[in-house]
Amino acid sequence: MLGFISARQAGLDDPLRLRRAESTRRVLSLELNKDRDVERIHGSGVNTLDIEPVEGRYMLSGGSDGVVILYDLENFSKKPCYTCKAVCSVGRSHPDVHRFSVETVQWYPHDTGMFTSSSFDKTLKIWDTNTLQPADVFNFEGTVYSHHMSPIATKHCLIAVGTKSPKVHLCDLKSGSCSHILQGHRQEVLAVCWSPRYEHVLATASADSRVKLWDVRRASGCLFTLDQHNGEKSKASSEAANTAHNGRVNGLCFTSDGLHLLTVGTDDRMRLWNSSTGENTLVNYGKVCNTSRKGIKFAISHGCNPEFAFVPYDSNIAVYTIYSGELITMLRGHYSTVDCCVFQSDFQICCHVSNKIML
């Protein structure tokens, strides 16, 4: 580390190299934080988390009790041992609380004045953070499994929504209506994710074993459907052709540069794809245990070398190197199945949840 600092001071090295080295060192030494806890408010399982990207200070959580809670991760006490307190919540007594399990929460990517939540009660709600009142509500015919806003979009304000219907809904924040629908899947859509590189590119994963990439400006259908066999006919079964997994695909996440896409399925496999060509890179991650009937929310590091994937694995978090597939470590601490994890890249914090939030 001293060598990195000396080389940087002398102008002999890229300043970002020191940051990458330190970020990587911190990820490799991640363990359960014994000095930091999160106030326990939820009365049952926690399904989803999101840390706002502006300051990295506030965290949202959504639970199977329908409650949404906002936490402040800042340590104002300056004591080594502290508990992150809940700032406010949309609790059971709130008139606009979700009636059933909250499956996804997400901050508005550009400021903390707004956040979104979707639920098994067939709604997507847009919340004003200051008043904790819904600014808009989108209603759907089926259960909502997942939604996502683009982190980089400047030309549109679309929220992609995956529901029990095979159709992907695009809700426009500007007009307050469902602007259009993407058709192509045959079963429920379990996960959706916008590209962090191209604001009009969207990836969707379905129970029909397929992952599709779309350019939402095109009305002629998807860009391509990912094929685990890269166009070669399956030796086992012709029916397996043009599928991403041999089971339900319930998780997907782009790498931070948007050049690759990671998917997980109930076939206990994770696959890495070239997001430009749709090619299966054939990286072998081994068995990635996944029995969830809902969406799996996993995270990818940013600013490390190599980059890492943090994936719920039973009651643990499995940490893999993305491009080599090596299982680096298992983060342990929960006593029941982990449903979600998020990664805070500025401080290399991995938050994960089952019935309790851990840092």
Side-chain angles (χ1 to χ4, degrees):
M1 190 57 64
L2 291 176
F4 279 120
I5 295 174
S6 299
R8 179 179 176 179
Q9 287 177 334
L12 301 175
D13 210 345
D14 180 1
L16 290 178
R17 190 161 176 249
L18 172 60
R19 179 185 175 91
R20 284 194 295 268
E22 177 61 12
S23 297
T24 305
R25 184 194 67 79
R26 292 186 181 185
V27 168
L28 293 175
S29 61
L30 276 173
E31 61 182 14
L32 188 62
N33 196 324
K34 300 178 178 63
D35 301 322
R36 194 175 187 184
D37 202 358
V38 179
E39 186 177 4
R40 189 166 184 173
I41 305 291
H42 289 284
S44 54
V46 186
N47 298 323
T48 175
L49 297 172
D50 192 37
I51 299 175
E52 48 88 8
V54 180
E55 299 178 76
R57 173 177 169 179
Y58 297 104
M59 180 173 72
L60 290 168
S61 68
S64 55
D65 52 4
V67 172
V68 176
I69 299 173
L70 192 158
Y71 295 93
D72 190 343
L73 302 180
E74 189 79 15
N75 180 11
F76 286 106
S77 69
K78 305 304 178 183
K79 296 178 181 178
C81 298
Y82 70 102
T83 298
C84 299
K85 297 293 185 180
V87 177
C88 54
S89 67
V90 181
R92 295 309 306 170
S93 61
H94 194 287
D96 298 298
V97 67
H98 284 289
R99 292 183 292 113
F100 303 128
S101 174
V102 175
E103 293 300 302
T104 308
V105 291
Q106 186 187 3
W107 287 101
Y108 182 61
H110 306 297
D111 64 59
T112 57
M114 185 171 71
F115 66 88
T116 57
S117 63
S118 59
S119 165
F120 276 1
D121 66 6
K122 305 178 184 179
T123 65
L124 164 69
K125 295 187 178 183
I126 318 299
W127 298 89
D128 183 317
T129 309
N130 297 312
T131 64
L132 279 190
Q133 298 298 318
D136 210 342
V137 178
F138 296 90
N139 294 282
F140 303 93
E141 295 181 359
T143 299
V144 180
Y145 290 107
S146 176
H147 77 268
H148 192 232
M149 282 182 287
S150 171
I152 62 165
T154 58
K155 297 179 181 178
H156 70 76
C157 292
L158 298 176
I159 304 177
V161 184
T163 70
K164 197 169 184 177
S165 163
K167 301 174 183 178
V168 180
H169 299 265
L170 297 179
C171 300
D172 192 343
L173 284 179
K174 289 183 177 179
S175 66
S177 63
C178 185
S179 61
H180 55 296
I181 289 172
L182 306 176
Q183 301 189 64
H185 285 296
R186 300 175 184 176
Q187 296 183 44
E188 60 260 46
V189 178
L190 299 174
V192 294
C193 187
W194 291 96
S195 166
R197 191 177 188 89
Y198 304 108
E199 65 176 88
H200 293 100
V201 172
L202 173 71
T204 60
S206 170
D208 64 7
S209 303
R210 289 172 168 81
V211 174
K212 294 179 179 289
L213 267 75
W214 313 78
D215 184 332
V216 297
R217 297 170 298 181
R218 292 175 45 168
S220 57
C222 69
L223 291 172
F224 45 78
T225 301
L226 301 183
D227 180 10
Q228 60 184 303
H229 307 293
N230 286 332
E232 298 179 9
K233 187 176 180 179
S234 170
K235 296 179 181 179
S237 169
S238 60
E239 294 180 358
N242 214 32
T243 58
H245 289 264
N246 297 322
R248 298 158 62 90
V249 190
N250 57 354
L252 75 173
C253 187
F254 281 96
T255 54
S256 57
D257 58 12
L259 296 177
H260 292 86
L261 177 70
L262 268 174
T263 63
V264 293
T266 55
D267 56 357
D268 293 337
R269 290 290 179 265
M270 181 162 69
R271 294 195 167 94
L272 181 69
W273 310 83
N274 183 311
S275 61
S276 297
T277 64
E279 179 187 9
N280 181 1
T281 62
L282 303 178
V283 175
N284 183 10
Y285 298 95
K287 181 179 179 180
V288 182
C289 187
N290 176 10
T291 58
S292 176
R293 300 292 297 175
K294 305 188 298 181
I296 288 287
K297 297 175 177 64
F298 61 99
I300 291 178
S301 67
H302 176 60
C304 298
N305 186 21
E307 297 290 0
F308 303 95
F310 304 88
V311 186
Y313 193 111
D314 287 334
S315 59
N316 309 309
I317 297 289
V319 183
Y320 298 91
T321 52
I322 291 178
Y323 299 108
S324 69
E326 181 183 359
L327 176 61
I328 298 298
T329 187
M330 284 280 191
L331 304 180
R332 308 180 190 277
H334 286 290
Y335 297 104
S336 57
T337 303
V338 176
D339 299 311
C340 169
C341 62
V342 292
F343 182 75
Q344 216 285 5
S345 59
D346 290 340
F347 301 101
Q348 292 76 50
I349 299 171
C350 183
C351 303
H352 37 99
V353 295
S354 54
N355 59 354
K356 183 180 180 182
I357 301 171
M358 292 187 178
L359 299 169

